[in-house]
């Protein structure tokens, strides 16, 4: 049996932490909505490319929080608002791009190499411009860290890593569900109707993000 002191975090907090982050990730939000739209219109490969970008964005915020860099968002609220609105504008730009059907990350059939790379970058950018991810780590991680259980940095990185595993699992399930429904949807909606539906969906995700991150 592994001694209690040998664990990087208090073993007693692992299950409650996993439960908490699972409930948070299962709560409908911008990431969930955007990933569902991408996989519905483009399929699994595109959806998983988007998941990879989203995950890297979350990992960047997690590392920033672990090293204390995200505290500036709490100290200087204008920076939080700047990132927040940049994220909303970015999503609205994606909606406009989808409406035009030019370089759209979530419209059309199939996913070539260029589309996959673009979706990865859009997922990464969207999460880097989501300050709620930073606040999540700043607010949640300390409640599961124990001052008598080793390095705070190691605890933060361990718990953050567990959160990324949960997020990838849930986001992947969303992609599989969206891709599974794509055949039925795409046989009924095509062309301008599909572009309008995807653009409208992304615009709703943008408004959703504006509401969720109002702070």
């Amino acid at each position: 049996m592994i001694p209690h002191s040998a664990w990087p975090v208090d073993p007693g907090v692992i299950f409650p932490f996993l439960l908490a982050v699972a409930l948070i990730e299962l709560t409908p939000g911008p990431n969930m909505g955007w990933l569902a739209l991408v996989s519905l219109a483009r399929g699994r490969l595109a959806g998983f490319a988007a998941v990879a970008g989203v995950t890297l964005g979350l990992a960047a915020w997690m590392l920033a929080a672990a090293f204390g860099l995200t505290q500036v968002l709490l100290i200087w609220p204008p920076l939080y608002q700047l990132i927040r609105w940049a994220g909303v504008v970015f999503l609205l730009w994606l909606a406009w791009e989808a409406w035009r059907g030019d370089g759209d990350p979530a419209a059309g059939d199939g996913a070539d190499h260029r589309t996959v790379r673009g979706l990865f970058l859009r997922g990464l950018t969207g999460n880097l411009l989501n300050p709620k991810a930073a606040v999540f780590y700043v607010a949640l991680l300390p409640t599961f860290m124990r001052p008598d259980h080793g390095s705070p940095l190691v605890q933060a990185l361990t718990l953050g890593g567990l959160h990324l595993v949960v997020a990838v699992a849930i986001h992947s399930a969303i992609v599989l569900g969206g891709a599974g429904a794509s055949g039925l949807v795409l046989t009924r909606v095509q062309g301008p109707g599909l572009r309008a539906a995807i653009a409208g969906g992304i615009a709703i995700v943008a408004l959703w993000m504006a509401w969720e991150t109002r702070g």
Side-chain angles (χ1 to χ4, degrees):
M1 185 175 181
I2 301 176
H4 187 279
S5 59
W7 289 78
V9 298
D10 181 357
V13 308
I14 294 178
F15 178 75
F17 177 77
L18 291 176
L19 180 61
V21 296
L23 291 174
I24 290 171
E25 290 297 331
L26 286 170
T27 301
N31 278 340
M32 184 179 290
W34 186 69
L35 290 172
L37 287 170
V38 168
S39 56
L40 183 67
R42 287 287 193 179
R44 283 181 294 180
L45 178 59
F48 284 126
V51 168
V54 167
T55 304
L56 184 58
L58 287 174
W61 279 122
M62 183 267 287
L63 290 172
F67 286 96
L69 301 179
T70 52
Q71 292 290 340
V72 68
L73 294 176
L74 303 179
I75 297 172
W76 196 47
L79 179 59
Y80 176 93
Q81 293 298 329
L82 177 63
I83 296 174
R84 172 197 178 208
W85 286 110
V88 172
V89 170
F90 176 72
L91 286 171
L92 290 174
W93 174 73
L94 292 184
W96 171 244
E97 194 178 52
W99 170 253
R100 291 187 309 166
D102 179 23
D104 170 29
D109 299 318
D112 58 22
H113 179 73
R114 182 179 176 184
T115 301
V116 168
R117 183 175 64 250
L119 284 165
F120 170 81
L121 292 175
R122 283 165 170 80
L124 171 61
T125 303
N127 261 269
L128 291 178
L129 294 177
N130 181 6
K132 198 75 171 181
V135 174
F136 164 82
Y137 286 116
V138 171
L140 186 68
L141 287 188
T143 64
F144 291 92
M145 294 167 59
R146 301 293 180 261
D148 60 344
H149 205 89
S151 166
L153 177 59
V154 172
Q155 292 186 66
L157 293 176
T158 301
L159 292 172
L162 290 174
H163 168 244
L164 293 180
V165 171
V166 172
V168 168
I170 292 175
H171 291 163
S172 296
I174 292 169
V175 166
L176 293 174
S182 64
L184 177 62
V185 173
L186 295 180
T187 56
R188 299 188 177 190
V189 185
Q190 292 288 344
L194 177 61
R195 293 202 308 271
I198 296 298
I202 297 176
I204 290 172
V205 171
L207 296 176
W208 200 344
M209 179 175 173
W211 174 261
E212 238 194 17
T213 60
R214 64 195 184 280

